[in-house]
Amino acid sequence: MDIEQFIYSGVLEEYCLGMLNDEDAAFVVQMSMLYPRVKEELTNIEFAFEYFAQDNAITPSPLLKKKF
């Protein structure tokens, strides 16, 4: 298997989003343990998703706390 092709297939993004079935998710974990390049890219994707989530987070209104 071509590692670069695997990295750019989109499967790492699907893994981070929880879109893979158990078998495919286990395969991604295995690949990340075998290939440092895959682990590096997976980590980069996780950081990018985290950054995107934090950058686009909306602070709830203080009034919302009173409703609960």
Side-chain angles (χ1 to χ4, degrees):
M1 169 176 281
D2 180 19
I3 297 304
E4 292 299 314
Q5 183 180 3
F6 177 75
I7 289 171
Y8 293 110
S9 69
V11 71
L12 299 179
E13 289 84 354
E14 290 175 346
Y15 173 80
C16 290
L17 292 170
M19 297 174 64
L20 297 179
N21 61 38
D22 292 341
E23 183 180 331
D24 291 339
F27 182 69
V28 169
V29 170
Q30 182 182 20
M31 293 294 285
S32 71
M33 290 171 37
L34 292 173
Y35 299 99
R37 175 75 176 100
V38 173
K39 177 64 176 171
E40 177 186 0
E41 190 64 28
L42 186 58
T43 301
N44 290 341
I45 293 166
E46 290 169 340
F47 282 135
F49 282 174
E50 181 66 25
Y51 175 80
F52 180 78
Q54 289 179 2
D55 194 45
N56 291 288
I58 299 171
T59 305
S61 165
L63 298 174
L64 184 62
K65 189 174 183 178
K66 291 181 180 180
K67 289 184 179 181
F68 291 101

